[in-house]
Amino acid sequence: MITKIFVAIAVVIAVFTLTAGFTQQAAFVLRQEQQTQHWPRHGTHLSGVYRSGGWAPSSVRSSYSGFRGGGPAAGK
Amino acid sequence: MASQTQIRRSSRFTDPFFYVLWLIVGSMIFALMLGAAWGNTLISTTVQVAPDEPRTFAPFEIKPMAIGAFRADVEAIVPENRWLTYELQLKDNQGQVIASALKQAWAESGTWYEEGESGSWYENDLSAGFDFRTGKPEPVTLTLAVLEYSDTSGRELEEPVSFAITVKEGVVDTRYLWAGLVGTSLLGILASFSFGQSGRLVIRRRVPDSEVGGRAILGGSKNLVRTYVDIKGDANAPPYITVQLSITNSNGAEVYQDTHTVNLHQKKSDKGKVTSTHGKLCKFFELEPRDSYKFYAVVTPAQNIDNTRIQVREKSRTFRPVEVVSVQALL
């Protein structure tokens, strides 16, 4: 019966989405270089990467006129 | 050989897996409501931030969490026709940046003209959101900076921008839950449409006439026999027709015969002209014993009927209680 197959698929979908949603798999993991599961919200994209124990701003971020290396308030 | 006929509404052939499926959908709705309510607010305020004058908020403690993550939600409050780039930045207790994210926000309005009519429009994308989690407890601070602010002609503005900012802990990502709800609901809807095709097809015959029939070996106890008679008529067919459905066993004895009124629905062209008519009769049977049965349908009035199709499935299931005609041969 096809409903048994549908139930099996629904269980897989439910387990995956509940796990991913409640454990926040799409959130950015601080102090971690690999961010394969990060899923930005509201078009808010990372402006750098975490590398060798520090934050390295991306070229997009560096192009803003107020940029002084290290982001806002750096050196203040 | 005489037979006994009983008509009763029965739920004996309902498929329990259909209800399991909708139970899963219900669980997703509950999880979505629970997930949306989950989390505590750490910061909730409205601030003004001038370009190149970043605003830093009070430090807060982050820690690994089994459920949810930290969430910073920001909404820029700007007049119409503004472009804005702002950044959210997280720093550790040494003042070192550990994460930052950019939002390119805008709010634009204008006037539209079309076929002599006109009106105004307004669209914006001003919200930013950043979810983060950590593997170790530590205090962090959040900084909000305006990197660029201009009007839509590109003229830079120095005036401060208002922001509504909220920081929460233990927030669940409901995007996955919505996807799960849509996916499981689609399966539930597909399942409800699948019952018409459930079981084994034993008779399927279409004739360009008003009478159609077919014979097959079917039936037995706890075996739901689903019968469809599809009628297609031309534009002049009456709105109601009658279908005389009969079943005879292997000895040629009629074990069931009844006349049903069927409503013919009109199919219209783009110009509103009736092009054809269509009607459907669905009946459920439980026939005992298992035998060779002939199903025969006669549509009246016969004129204006283009074709008639009969389709019989055995071992069928339903998703709700249905009226079943039980026919049992008396020995």
Side-chain angles (χ1 to χ4, degrees):
Chain A
M1 194 68 185
I2 200 163
T3 46
K4 286 180 190 169
I5 299 166
F6 285 174
V7 166
I9 298 169
V11 167
V12 171
I13 291 173
V15 169
F16 172 75
T17 55
L18 288 171
T19 307
F22 276 85
T23 61
Q24 270 278 13
Q25 292 303 299
F28 179 83
V29 186
L30 295 174
R31 301 187 187 282
Q32 187 173 296
E33 295 189 4
Q34 295 294 322
Q35 301 285 343
T36 52
Q37 290 180 292
H38 180 231
W39 179 13
R41 292 176 53 246
H42 296 305
T44 311
H45 296 279
L46 294 174
S47 52
V49 290
Y50 193 77
R51 191 187 299 145
S52 308
W55 189 254
S58 65
S59 56
V60 175
R61 174 65 181 87
S62 312
S63 68
Y64 286 93
S65 56
F67 184 68
R68 286 185 289 273
K76 287 189 178 179
Chain B
M1 188 166 58
S3 62
Q4 187 182 41
T5 303
Q6 267 191 336
I7 301 172
R8 60 183 172 186
R9 199 160 187 83
S10 176
S11 57
R12 285 185 302 138
F13 301 103
T14 53
D15 185 351
F17 285 96
F18 180 73
Y19 294 97
V20 173
L21 194 51
W22 282 101
L23 194 67
I24 295 169
V25 175
S27 305
M28 290 304 304
I29 293 170
F30 176 72
L32 196 54
M33 291 192 295
L34 188 70
W38 208 271
N40 299 318
T41 303
L42 301 174
I43 298 170
S44 179
T45 186
T46 302
V47 293
Q48 288 210 320
V49 183
D52 299 327
E53 288 181 27
R55 175 73 178 261
T56 299
F57 298 90
F60 55 93
E61 193 77 18
I62 59 170
K63 56 187 181 298
M65 284 187 292
I67 294 177
F70 291 84
R71 169 170 291 177
D73 273 333
V74 182
E75 186 180 9
I77 303 159
V78 293
E80 292 175 12
N81 296 314
R82 294 286 189 273
W83 292 337
L84 170 70
T85 302
Y86 62 93
E87 187 179 51
L88 291 165
Q89 207 167 51
L90 281 172
K91 292 177 188 170
D92 62 14
N93 59 357
Q94 305 295 314
Q96 297 297 312
V97 178
I98 52 175
S100 66
L102 274 182
K103 172 70 183 184
Q104 290 178 316
W106 52 272
E108 293 181 23
S109 64
T111 308
W112 58 265
Y113 301 93
E114 195 176 313
E115 294 176 357
E117 293 184 10
S118 65
S120 61
W121 58 269
Y122 173 77
E123 286 183 25
N124 67 51
D125 178 14
L126 296 167
S127 298
F130 188 52
D131 287 2
F132 54 96
R133 52 195 171 93
T134 183
K136 65 165 194 173
E138 62 175 315
V140 293
T141 52
L142 181 71
T143 299
L144 181 59
V146 174
L147 304 183
E148 267 185 6
Y149 185 38
S150 68
D151 60 20
T152 46
S153 65
R155 187 170 59 90
E156 284 200 20
L157 303 168
E158 293 302 320
E159 63 201 53
V161 180
S162 290
F163 291 94
I165 181 162
T166 311
V167 179
K168 290 183 174 181
E169 64 174 351
V171 176
V172 171
D173 193 344
T174 53
R175 293 175 299 181
Y176 285 105
L177 307 185
W178 277 111
L181 177 60
V182 170
T184 52
S185 299
L186 282 175
L187 286 170
I189 293 163
L190 272 177
S192 49
F193 283 110
S194 74
F195 283 98
Q197 304 299 313
S198 64
R200 190 170 70 91
L201 184 66
V202 286
I203 298 172
R204 186 178 189 179
R205 197 154 173 235
R206 181 198 292 270
V207 290
D209 196 0
S210 60
E211 296 184 19
V212 65
R215 181 178 281 278
I217 294 170
L218 52 85
S221 67
K222 296 176 185 173
N223 184 351
L224 184 70
V225 177
R226 181 188 288 258
T227 308
Y228 284 124
V229 180
D230 283 287
I231 307 106
K232 197 171 177 190
D234 63 21
N236 298 316
Y240 293 96
I241 45 108
T242 59
V243 178
Q244 187 189 67
L245 183 65
S246 61
I247 304 171
T248 50
N249 64 14
S250 57
N251 298 324
E254 193 171 76
V255 295
Y256 170 82
Q257 191 260 305
D258 203 358
T259 303
H260 310 273
T261 303
V262 175
N263 182 18
L264 287 184
H265 301 280
Q266 293 181 330
K267 191 176 178 186
K268 292 180 179 176
S269 67
D270 294 341
K271 292 176 182 174
K273 190 181 172 188
V274 178
T275 54
S276 63
T277 52
H278 178 256
K280 195 171 199 173
L281 173 70
C282 178
K283 295 295 290 181
F284 295 97
F285 298 97
E286 195 180 10
L287 301 168
E288 287 190 75
R290 187 169 181 81
D291 193 6
S292 171
Y293 290 99
K294 182 185 178 186
F295 286 69
Y296 202 76
V298 180
V299 180
T300 48
Q303 62 266 34
N304 307 118
I305 300 301
D306 287 342
N307 63 65
T308 311
R309 185 179 74 164
I310 191 161
Q311 189 172 298
V312 181
R313 288 177 175 272
E314 67 167 348
K315 293 190 169 68
S316 188
R317 304 302 292 262
T318 62
F319 68 88
R320 61 182 174 192
V322 290
E323 191 178 80
V324 180
V325 180
S326 295
V327 180
Q328 195 162 20
L330 298 173
L331 299 172

